C-alpha cells in the first residue's frame, strides 16, 4: 500500500463524558443546551488545527515552581507531573499544546474573582504550558495544589486538582479537563467528578504516584497519561474532500 | 454480549473549565504576567491577506443573562479558504501570515467578547461540495461540562449559506438562523454580531463534531 490517507476522527463516545445537564453540579442547570447536539460528518474544518511554534515559549513556561517566583520559592509540596498524550488507537500525539492552571498550596487561585481566605503566595502564579515531544511525552514541575471550598452545596470542597487543556492535530480533539491525585478522599464526594458516568472514566483522571521517579531530597512525581480521539485511515473512497 | 473486546483506549473524559479558566488560558486577563508571548484574540498581522473584520457578541444563559466568565476560541481558514494546518489536503498554499486560531474571554463586567480577524474563504466540504465561509467556535466555562462547538456564518453570504452542506444538515430549518452573524454598519470597520444562546428560546445550534 502507498501513502497513508487519513479519514475522519472516530466519533466521540458521549457515554465516556459528562452529560451537559448534570443537576448535582448546579451551575450546569442554566448553562446546558436543551436541544440535543447535532452530529455532523467531519470536513477539513474539523480535522485541521493550528500549529504552535516552540520559539514563542519561554524557558520556565513548564516550571510553575520558578516561573512566578519573585523573592523566593513558593511554599508547598514540590511535585513533577509527567506522562504521554496518545490517541485512542495508541499513536503518540506530537507537538500538542498542553496548558495547565491550578490553585496554590492553600487552595487559593491567583484570580480576581477568588475571595477564599486561604493565603495567597506571592511567589506562585499557577499557570504553565508545554508542547509534547515526538513520543507524545510531556513534563512539568509545580507545587501540589490544596483542596478548596466552593458554593455548590454550602460545604462543597474540590479535591486537589490541576486543570489542563489540549490543542492537538484536529479541532475535533479539542479537550479541557482536570486531573486529580491518587488517594485523595475528596475524589469520592466531588459532584464535578461525579458528572462522569462511569467509574472507569473517573479513574482515568487520577494521576498515580510514580515512586521510582521521585528525586531524592527534592521532588515527588506523579504519572498522568491523556488519550485524545484518533483518526481512522482510508483504504477505499475518500469523501473528506 | 461477546466476551471478546476490541483493544482501544477511551478518550480522556472532559471536565468543566471552571470559573478561573483565564489563569491558564488567558493569564493576562487574570493579571498574571508569566509568559513572554501570550495568545490572544487578534488573528490579523500587518501582512495578513483578506478583508479584516471584527466579530463580537455575548453568550447568554437560560435566564437570558450574559455569561461573564466564558472563554471562546475560533478556528478558521485564510482568505483563500486554506487552513494553516498540515492536515489540510486541498493543495493550496496557506497564508504564512495567518495562524487561523485565536482565544478570548468575555469582559468580567459586561460579558462582551470580540475577535479581530479576516473573513475566511470557502473551504471544500465532503465529496467536493463547497462550504459557505464559516468560522468554527468553541465555548468553555463554569457549568459547561464539555466544550460547546458551533459555527459562525455570515448574513451577506446568502447564496453560499443556502448551499452549505452543514447548514442544510440541520433538519429544523428555523434553527439555521442561530448560526448566522449579522453584519453591522460601523464607520471604519466591518463588524459582525454573533450572540450565543446556550439554552431556551433562540437556542444556538451546537454540534457534535
Amino acid at each position: 500500500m502507498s501513502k497513508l490517507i487519513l479519514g475522519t476522527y472516530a466519533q466521540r463516545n458521549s457515554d465516556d463524558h459528562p452529560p451537559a445537564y448534570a443537576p448535582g453540579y448546579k451551575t450546569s442547570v442554566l448553562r446546558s443546551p436543551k436541544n440535543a447536539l447535532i452530529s455532523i460528518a467531519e470536513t477539513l474544518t474539523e480535522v485541521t488545527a493550528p500549529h504552535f511554534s516552540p520559539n514563542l515559549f519561554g524557558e520556565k513556561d513548564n516550571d510553575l515552581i520558578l516561573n512566578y517566583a519573585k523573592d523566593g520559592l513558593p511554599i508547598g509540596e514540590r511535585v513533577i507531573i509527567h506522562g504521554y498524550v496518545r490517541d485512542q488507537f495508541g499513536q503518540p500525539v506530537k507537538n500538542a499544546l498542553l496548558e495547565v492552571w491550578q490553585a496554590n498550596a492553600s487552595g487559593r487561585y491567583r484570580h480576581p474573582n477568588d475571595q477564599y481566605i486561604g493565603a495567597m503566595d506571592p511567589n506562585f502564579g499557577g499557570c504553565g504550558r508545554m508542547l509534547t515531544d515526538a513520543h507524545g511525552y510531556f513534563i512539568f514541575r509545580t507545587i501540589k495544589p490544596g483542596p478548596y471550598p466552593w458554593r455548590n452545596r454550602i460545604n462543597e470542597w474540590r479535591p486537589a486538582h490541576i486543570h489542563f487543556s489540549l490543542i492537538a492535530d484536529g479541532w475535533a480533539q479539542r479537550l479541557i479537563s482536570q486531573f486529580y491525585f491518587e488517594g485523595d478522599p475528596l475524589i469520592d464526594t466531588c459532584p464535578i467528578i461525579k458528572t462522569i458516568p462511569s467509574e472507569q472514566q473517573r479513574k482515568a483522571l487520577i494521576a498515580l504516584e510514580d515512586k521510582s521517579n521521585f528525586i531524592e531530597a527534592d521532588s515527588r512525581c506523579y504519572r498522568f497519561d491523556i488519550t485524545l480521539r484518533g483518526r481512522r485511515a482510508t483504504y477505499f473512497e475518500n469523501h473528506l474532500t | 454480549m461477546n466476551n471478546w473486546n476490541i483493544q482501544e483506549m477511551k478518550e480522556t473524559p472532559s471536565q468543566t473549565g471552571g470559573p478561573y479558566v483565564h489563569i491558564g488560558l488567558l493569564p493576562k486577563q487574570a493579571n498574571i504576567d508569566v509568559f513572554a508571548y501570550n495568545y490572544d484574540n487578534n488573528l490579523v498581522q500587518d501582512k495578513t491577506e483578506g478583508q479584516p473584520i471584527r466579530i463580537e457578541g455575548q453568550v447568554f444563559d437560560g435566564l437570558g443573562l450574559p455569561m461573564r466568565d466564558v472563554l471562546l476560541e475560533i478556528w478558521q481558514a485564510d482568505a483563500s479558504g486554506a487552513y494553516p494546518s498540515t492536515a489540510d489536503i486541498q493543495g493550496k498554499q496557506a497564508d504564512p501570515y495567518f495562524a487561523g486560531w485565536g482565544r478570548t474571554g468575555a469582559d468580567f463586567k459586561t460579558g462582551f467578547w470580540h475577535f479581530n480577524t479576516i473573513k475566511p474563504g470557502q473551504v471544500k466540504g465532503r465529496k467536493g461540495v463547497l462550504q459557505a465561509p464559516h468560522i468554527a467556535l468553541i465555548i468553555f466555562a463554569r457549568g459547561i461540562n464539555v466544550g460547546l462547538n458551533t459555527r459562525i456564518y455570515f448574513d451577506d453570504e446568502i447564496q453560499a449559506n443556502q448551499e452549505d452542506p452543514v447548514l442544510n444538515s440541520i433538519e429544523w430549518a428555523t434553527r439555521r438562523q442561530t448560526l448566522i452573524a449579522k453584519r453591522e454598519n460601523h464607520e471604519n470597520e466591518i463588524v459582525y454580531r454573533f450572540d450565543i444562546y446556550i439554552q431556551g428560546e433562540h437556542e444556538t445550534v451546537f454540534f457534535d463534531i
Side-chain angles (χ1 to χ4, degrees), chain B residues 96-143:
Chain B
Y97 301 102
F98 189 64
W101 173 85
R103 170 186 282 168
T104 195
D107 182 88
F108 287 150
K109 290 199 180 79
T110 64
F112 273 100
W113 55 266
H114 79 273
F115 289 96
N116 296 318
T117 185
I118 52 113
K119 196 165 175 195
Q122 288 190 265
V123 177
K124 240 192 224 179
R126 297 179 65 81
K127 302 183 189 179
V129 181
L130 269 186
Q131 304 186 69
H134 66 277
I135 294 176
L137 172 76
I138 191 162
I139 304 160
F140 296 102
R142 174 173 68 105

Side-chain angles (χ1 to χ4, degrees), chain A residues 43 45, chain B residues 77 81 83 119-125 129-136 151-168 179-180:
Chain A
T43 70
T45 306
Chain B
Y83 282 103
K119 196 165 175 195
Q122 288 190 265
V123 177
K124 240 192 224 179
V129 181
L130 269 186
Q131 304 186 69
H134 66 277
I135 294 176
R151 281 183 171 204
I152 304 171
Y153 289 85
F154 302 91
D155 70 348
D156 50 3
E157 297 285 346
I158 299 168
Q159 183 69 27
N161 290 343
Q162 274 173 1
E163 293 164 6
D164 184 79
V166 171
L167 284 174
N168 286 327
L179 301 184
I180 297 177

